[in-house]
Amino acid sequence: MKKIILFHLLIMLIFFACNKEINCKVKNGNEGLIVKEISDDLCWQISEKNFVIRTDSAYKSIVKIDSANCSKPLENIDFSKFTLLGQYADAGGCSVGFLRTVTRNDAEKKYTYEVYANGCGQCDMLGLSNNMVLVEKIPEDYTVEFSIKEN
């Protein structure tokens, strides 16, 4: 009988220990040349995994709204001043974060958009984001390189 009770206690300890994380912290935020994060709504339908949007017509063709289920309209963006970058990423855990960084290399005429998708804990939660950010208008002769890092 003692063995059965100890066995059940051991199973409960393992179960609860796996679901709780002490000091579970993730990295969130924006760094580098990012002017503003555009918070996307789950009902927005985005046709690309990563994108560089320089015009209003491209914005409306890549980002569509499921009007039957969506309460949040597309944000107005002045494409004469800004470029919209987006990069889908996901991570799992009890807590999930996305750290976004945009840098510019004038010698190579290149921008780099890096997303660090990080999660901690043993939960079955999946966090996802299109990581849409505004940067000052990117010159037409510059390219954008996308990078995802995960923990």
Side-chain angles (χ1 to χ4, degrees):
M1 184 70 168
K2 281 186 179 182
K3 288 183 181 180
I4 292 173
I5 292 172
L6 287 174
F7 176 75
H8 285 284
L9 287 173
L10 180 62
I11 295 297
M12 287 176 43
L13 178 66
I14 290 171
F15 176 76
F16 287 111
C18 290
N19 287 324
K20 294 182 180 178
E21 291 292 322
I22 298 171
N23 297 324
C24 183
K25 294 180 182 170
V26 295
K27 294 182 180 180
N28 266 313
N30 303 308
E31 296 180 341
L33 302 174
I34 296 171
V35 174
K36 179 181 178 183
E37 177 183 346
I38 303 295
S39 177
D40 61 342
D41 196 298
L42 292 178
C43 60
W44 289 6
Q45 300 167 348
I46 300 176
S47 60
E48 306 289 330
K49 290 274 188 192
N50 51 15
F51 50 85
V52 178
I53 299 178
R54 300 171 193 264
T55 66
D56 194 55
S57 60
Y59 182 39
K60 290 176 180 166
S61 74
I62 291 175
V63 183
K64 299 198 184 298
I65 295 178
D66 177 2
S67 58
N69 299 313
C70 196
S71 61
K72 183 176 180 183
L74 290 178
E75 186 160 334
N76 290 324
I77 297 172
D78 183 351
F79 286 102
S80 67
K81 296 179 182 175
F82 301 104
T83 300
L84 177 64
L85 303 177
Q87 181 169 205
Y88 174 84
D90 58 44
C94 299
S95 186
V96 174
F98 299 96
L99 180 62
R100 303 162 197 88
T101 307
V102 175
T103 57
R104 175 179 174 156
N105 183 326
D106 289 321
E108 295 180 17
K109 291 190 170 190
K110 177 176 77 171
Y111 281 70
T112 301
Y113 182 19
E114 179 179 285
V115 175
Y116 173 55
N118 60 111
C120 65
Q122 301 298 317
C123 300
D124 289 334
M125 183 181 82
L126 179 65
L128 51 95
S129 176
N130 288 301
N131 296 295
M132 298 191 310
V133 296
L134 287 180
V135 295
E136 289 185 14
K137 185 82 174 163
I138 295 177
E140 291 291 329
D141 60 339
Y142 276 61
T143 60
V144 178
E145 179 180 283
F146 294 92
S147 169
I148 296 178
K149 294 189 177 180
E150 300 173 337
N151 68 334

